[in-house]
């Protein structure tokens, strides 16, 4: 696929269906988007202590985040320097002083440095062996942490993490600032929901504010009905129903939430309010926040209430409910979405309990809300096989976004701005421009 | 095993089979009525998961959430459930682990397989059931049903129904 052909697949207001269906384009995305962008790896709390590692994937490549003896943080390829065996299994683990390869017993420090080879003198006089940089576990080209969120890039060149996050970094700030202790901790396990659809449907949908009131009727309206019938119309809903009910807020509510877009495809919906704004207060939490920051600063922190923030293409967070969904593309029509929860350090357990409840109800493969989104993507994946119509629309409110300066665009919630902005970045990455 | 033990085992097995049948025959309201008022249905997301409060679960439903889920089953806008999944729940290896006559409480473990036909494909789920039951006259009611999939930590596609 040459550059000119790729260029023709994305207009400012529409995209060609093949970007979702063509395996060759998916392969190019792996190389040019997932191989270039900053991809979320993990959170520093997962490797808080020396010897800990967390193994995951970037695109389809095995990588691991590690903490060495001196406290240094590394993102390395999870691949033995000898004959390539994957070194550790996916997920979190601890290796104490060394990672030992299962195959020929080479040992590596958590900084990736080769420590020992059985019968090492066999390499004497060859161009491999101890002291040779290729005999270490190889680091990724770049790795950086922003307030505990670790991203890495397979590309040597490109903007630094902070510049790349741009205005969207403020969503990470707000999530961290919600911790009275000023820090987050990943906890509570992971949900791994497999989607039989292209990864882009998911990242688009998170800021598609014209879908919730349609897709989520069967769960959200039902939750409202059950609450009314069982508890009475005036009763305060229990936390579970408070979480589900707002998905069928009105078009007007979602429109007023608004959309914010930034360079590199990032963006968020909501800002002053979102579907997370009306959860019952937890008084001990508010007290802990006030003690930590003072009432004025707390008011500022709580005045920011965002729905989904997308760090295109791999990471999405919900600050007000302290959850994260991570995008892992496997094939043109297969994607895994992982859901993680965070503890706000210094906050009462009630907050973590609510984050867990949220994930169960919305993000689990077996639950009430997410499966209907997944079904919509599945039907898109099927529908777009049709050759009679070649284009996918994103015209709504074209040209009516406001430029707030420094690459920050704003539009009302019903706008297709988020999609246009993601495909602007898509086009830029795919053209090979760093 | 004494005759009384055999009869008890039969009674408990029949209760579990009946529960499975209600799920397969989509008799949701009758199924929900098998639970006590504070009865809990739980499908954990990890094998060593200590609780459902501070660790995510595939499903963790109290009576109210069962009501919402069951009402959703009948909703024409439940797109992920169109057409509604067909299931066959098979239960085997039924063991009564505790049978406390004074408290009127029982603990049973069993193994299950659930065949589900959804979205043009058949999927097979398997795992362990743990039923905490209370004696209710001649019958039992469920205080807590835990369905732990052998692959609850693995990748999960959409699951339409209760295991
Ligand atoms: S492949 Fe790792 S030691 Fe040989
Ligand atoms: Fe949705």
């Amino acid at each position: 696929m040459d550059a000119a052909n790729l260029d023709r697949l994305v207009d400012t207001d529409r995209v060609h269906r093949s970007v979702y269906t063509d395996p060759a384009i998916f392969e190019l995305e792996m190389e040019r988007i997932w191989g270039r962008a900053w991809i979320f790896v993990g959170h520093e709390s997962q490797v808080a202590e020396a010897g800990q590692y967390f193994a995951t994937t970037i695109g389809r490549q095995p990588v691991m985040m590690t903490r060495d003896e001196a406290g240094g943080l590394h993102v390395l390829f999870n691949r033995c320097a000898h004959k390539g065996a994957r070194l550790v299994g996916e997920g979190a683990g601890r290796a104490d002083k060394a990672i030992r390869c299962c195959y020929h017993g080479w040992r590596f420090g958590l900084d990736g440095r080769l420590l020992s080879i059985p019968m090492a003198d066999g390499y004497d006089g060859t161009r491999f062996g101890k002291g040779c940089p290729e005999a270490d576990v190889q680091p990724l080209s770049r790795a950086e942490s922003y307030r505990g969120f670790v991203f890495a890039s397979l590309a040597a060149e490109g903007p630094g993490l902070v510049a790349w996050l741009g205005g969207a970094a403020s969503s990470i700030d707000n999530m961290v600032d919600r911790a009275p202790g000023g820090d987050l901790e990943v906890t509570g396990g992971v949900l791994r929901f497999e989607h039989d659809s292209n990864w882009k449907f998911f990242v688009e949908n998170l800021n598609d504010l014209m879908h919730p009131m349609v897709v989520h009727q069967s769960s959200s309206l039902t939750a409202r009905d059950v609450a009314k019938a069982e508890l009475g119309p005036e009763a305060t809903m229990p936390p579970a129903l408070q979480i589900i009910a707002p998905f069928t807020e009105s078009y007007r509510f979602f429109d007023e939430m608004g959309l914010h877009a930034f360079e590199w495809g990032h963006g968020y919906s909501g800002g002053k309010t979102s579907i997370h704004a009306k959860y019952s207060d937890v008084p001990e939490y508010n007290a802990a926040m006030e003690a930590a920051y003072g009432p004025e600063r707390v008011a500022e922190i709580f005045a920011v209430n965002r729905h989904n923030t997308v760090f295109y293409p791999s990471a999405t967070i919900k600050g007000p409910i302290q959850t994260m969904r991570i995008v892992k593309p496997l094939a043109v029509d297969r994607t895994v979405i992982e859901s993680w929860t965070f503890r706000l350090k210094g906050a009462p357990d009630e907050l973590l309990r609510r984050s867990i409840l949220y994930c169960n109800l919305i993000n689990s493969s077996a639950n009430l809300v997410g499966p209907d989104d997944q079904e919509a993507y599945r039907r898109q994946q099927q529908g777009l096989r049709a050759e009679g119509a070649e284009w996918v629309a994103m015209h709504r409110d074209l040209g009516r976004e406001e430029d707030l300066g420094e690459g920050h665009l704003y539009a009302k919630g019903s706008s297709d701005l988020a999609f246009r902005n993601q495909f602007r970045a898509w086009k830029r990455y795919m053209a090979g421009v760093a | 095993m004494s005759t009384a033990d055999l009869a008890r085992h039969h009674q408990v097995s029949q209760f579990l089979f009946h529960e499975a049948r209600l799920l397969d025959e989509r008799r949701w309201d009758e199924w929900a009525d098998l639970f006590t008022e504070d009865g809990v249905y739980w499908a954990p997301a990890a094998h060593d998961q200590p609780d459902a409060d501070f660790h995510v679960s595939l499903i963790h439903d109290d009576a109210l959430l069962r009501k919402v889920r069951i009402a959703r089953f009948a909703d024409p806008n439940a797109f992920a459930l169109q057409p509604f999944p067909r299931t066959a729940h098979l239960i085997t290896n039924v063991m009564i682990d505790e049978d406390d006559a004074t408290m009127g409480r029982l603990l049973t473990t069993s193994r299950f397989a659930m065949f589900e036909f959804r979205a043009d494909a058949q999927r097979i789920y398997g795992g362990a059931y743990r039923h905490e039951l209370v004696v209710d006259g001649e019958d039992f009611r469920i205080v807590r049903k835990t369905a732990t999939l052998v692959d609850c930590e693995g990748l999960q596609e959409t699951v339409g129904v209760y295991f």
Side-chain angles (χ1 to χ4, degrees):
Chain A
M1 179 107 15
D2 60 44
N5 275 331
L6 272 174
D7 198 53
R8 278 202 290 273
L9 299 177
V10 177
D11 281 344
T12 47
D13 59 350
R14 62 180 194 176
V15 289
H16 192 262
R17 65 187 181 88
S18 59
V19 307
Y20 301 102
T21 58
D22 184 342
I25 292 178
F26 177 80
E27 291 302 321
L28 273 180
E29 288 178 340
M30 289 295 101
E31 179 190 318
R32 297 186 182 176
I33 301 178
W34 294 80
R36 282 200 182 113
W38 287 99
I39 305 297
F40 179 73
V41 175
H43 188 262
E44 287 198 43
S45 62
Q46 294 170 296
V47 290
E49 292 163 27
Q52 287 186 314
Y53 61 79
F54 175 75
T56 179
T57 48
I58 286 189
R60 290 165 300 187
Q61 304 187 37
V63 304
M64 57 181 170
M65 171 173 72
T66 62
R67 182 78 66 177
D68 70 27
E69 290 289 292
L73 183 80
H74 306 270
V75 181
L76 309 169
F77 287 103
N78 184 7
R79 183 254 195 229
C80 180
H82 178 218
K83 295 187 80 173
R86 199 190 68 214
L87 286 166
V88 300
E90 273 221 12
R94 181 184 290 277
D96 289 327
K97 298 217 157 38
I99 294 172
R100 180 169 174 262
C101 179
C102 76
Y103 200 1
H104 309 99
W106 290 33
R107 290 168 65 252
F108 303 92
L110 280 112
D111 57 358
R113 203 72 65 75
L114 173 68
L115 297 177
S116 67
I117 304 174
M119 298 182 70
D121 55 3
Y123 289 93
D124 288 353
T126 75
R127 61 173 176 174
F128 202 50
K130 214 163 169 190
C132 162
E134 289 98 84
D136 294 334
V137 179
Q138 295 302 300
L140 270 77
S141 291
R142 292 180 297 154
E144 278 186 50
S145 169
Y146 182 76
R147 299 197 73 177
F149 290 76
V150 179
F151 290 75
S153 170
L154 296 164
E157 306 285 316
L161 179 62
V162 172
W164 180 83
L165 290 170
S170 58
S171 291
I172 293 180
D173 294 335
N174 186 250
M175 182 144 134
V176 180
D177 290 345
R178 284 168 178 267
D183 203 0
L184 304 172
E185 180 196 354
V186 172
T187 187
V190 57
L191 292 167
R192 305 169 75 207
F193 189 175
E194 186 175 0
H195 289 40
D196 44 3
S197 49
N198 189 267
W199 64 272
K200 294 188 292 299
F201 293 133
F202 176 82
V203 286
E204 288 176 44
N205 181 65
L206 292 201
N207 288 327
D208 178 332
L209 301 189
M210 291 295 286
H211 90 275
M213 63 298 279
V214 181
V215 166
H216 302 307
Q217 283 178 25
S218 70
S219 45
S220 175
L221 288 185
T222 304
R224 289 168 192 257
D225 291 347
V226 168
K228 236 178 264 160
E230 300 294 314
L231 311 167
E234 303 305 327
T236 307
M237 286 190 202
L241 300 189
Q242 283 187 11
I243 285 171
I244 304 174
F247 281 84
T248 44
E249 287 286 1
S250 64
Y251 282 106
R252 179 161 175 188
F253 177 90
F254 282 101
D255 205 30
E256 287 174 355
M257 265 170 56
L259 286 169
H260 297 257
F262 302 90
E263 218 187 341
W264 300 110
H266 312 322
Y268 61 84
S269 47
K272 295 187 183 69
T273 191
S274 80
I275 62 166
H276 308 303
K278 285 195 262 179
Y279 302 152
S280 293
D281 270 342
V282 180
E284 311 83 68
Y285 170 57
N286 293 354
M289 285 292 284
E290 295 216 349
Y293 297 108
E296 261 171 58
R297 177 72 189 121
V298 174
E300 272 173 31
I301 293 168
F302 288 164
V304 175
N305 199 300
R306 295 178 186 169
H307 175 49
N308 290 305
T309 301
V310 174
F311 304 101
Y312 191 78
S314 73
T316 77
I317 64 171
K318 278 184 177 291
I321 192 75
Q322 299 94 48
T323 65
M324 179 160 199
R325 279 178 288 177
I326 296 150
V327 183
K328 295 190 163 179
L330 302 179
V332 69
D333 57 357
R334 259 181 89 216
T335 309
V336 172
I337 305 300
E338 286 190 1
S339 297
W340 297 12
T341 43
F342 292 81
R343 179 196 293 281
L344 296 170
K345 288 200 177 157
D349 286 349
E350 195 56 35
L351 275 281
L352 177 59
R353 194 179 281 133
R354 186 160 71 191
S355 304
I356 296 280
L357 181 64
Y358 186 91
C359 269
N360 293 351
L361 292 172
I362 311 301
N363 301 340
S364 146
S365 56
N367 244 295
L368 297 161
V369 176
D372 287 326
D373 292 305
Q374 198 273 334
E375 177 65 15
Y377 318 148
R378 200 172 80 88
R379 293 191 192 187
Q380 282 184 287
Q381 195 73 45
Q382 294 172 342
L384 291 178
R385 289 184 202 140
E387 292 181 354
E390 294 297 315
W391 297 96
V392 179
M394 44 183 197
H395 308 73
R396 191 182 273 275
D397 283 302
L398 178 69
R400 290 198 273 269
E401 44 266 13
E402 244 178 274
D403 189 342
L404 303 183
E406 296 178 21
H408 183 172
L409 302 175
Y410 172 79
K412 55 191 185 161
S414 57
S415 165
D416 285 344
L417 172 63
F419 319 142
R420 291 193 291 267
N421 189 56
Q422 290 181 3
F423 275 105
R424 189 165 58 115
W426 189 94
K427 199 165 169 160
R428 186 172 171 190
Y429 280 120
M430 293 294 270
V433 182
Chain B
M1 213 184 241
S2 71
T3 316
D5 285 345
L6 282 173
R8 188 62 154 176
H9 188 266
H10 180 73
Q11 189 194 9
V12 166
S13 301
Q14 286 297 308
F15 177 79
L16 299 181
F17 299 164
H18 175 65
E19 190 222 323
R21 175 186 188 159
L22 294 181
L23 288 173
D24 290 336
E25 294 180 358
R26 305 178 183 174
R27 291 154 65 186
W28 312 114
D29 293 331
E30 285 174 74
W31 177 79
D33 285 343
L34 296 180
F35 285 79
T36 59
E37 238 163 76
D38 56 356
V40 170
Y41 176 99
W42 186 27
H47 279 266
D48 55 359
Q49 186 171 335
D51 63 59
D53 283 345
F54 301 110
H55 190 293
V56 289
S57 299
L58 300 179
I59 307 177
H60 186 247
D61 281 3
D62 60 9
L64 205 58
L65 283 171
R66 280 194 296 279
K67 279 230 158 64
V68 176
R69 191 184 294 265
I70 287 170
R72 181 178 123 81
F73 286 166
D75 193 309
N77 291 315
F79 303 110
L81 302 175
Q82 291 174 352
F84 200 88
R86 292 275 172 196
T87 60
H89 290 74
L90 312 187
I91 300 180
T92 182
N93 306 13
V94 177
M95 304 290 283
I96 302 175
D97 294 336
E98 284 167 33
D99 190 350
D100 184 336
T102 30
M103 298 295 288
R105 290 178 91 90
L106 289 88
L107 181 64
T108 75
T109 51
S110 53
R111 297 293 181 266
F112 73 91
M114 181 181 89
F115 296 79
E116 184 198 33
F117 181 61
R118 189 193 63 78
D120 303 323
Q122 178 174 286
R123 293 167 183 82
I124 301 170
Y125 298 91
Y129 280 152
R130 185 177 188 276
H131 283 80
E132 293 172 53
L133 305 175
V134 286
V135 176
D136 181 29
E138 292 295 287
D139 214 343
F140 305 112
R141 295 182 80 193
I142 303 169
V143 177
R144 192 177 185 83
K145 171 178 175 179
T146 308
T148 309
L149 297 180
V150 288
D151 64 340
C152 60
E153 283 134 349
L155 300 180
Q156 302 293 335
E157 297 187 299
T158 288
V159 180
V161 291
Y162 286 108
F163 302 110

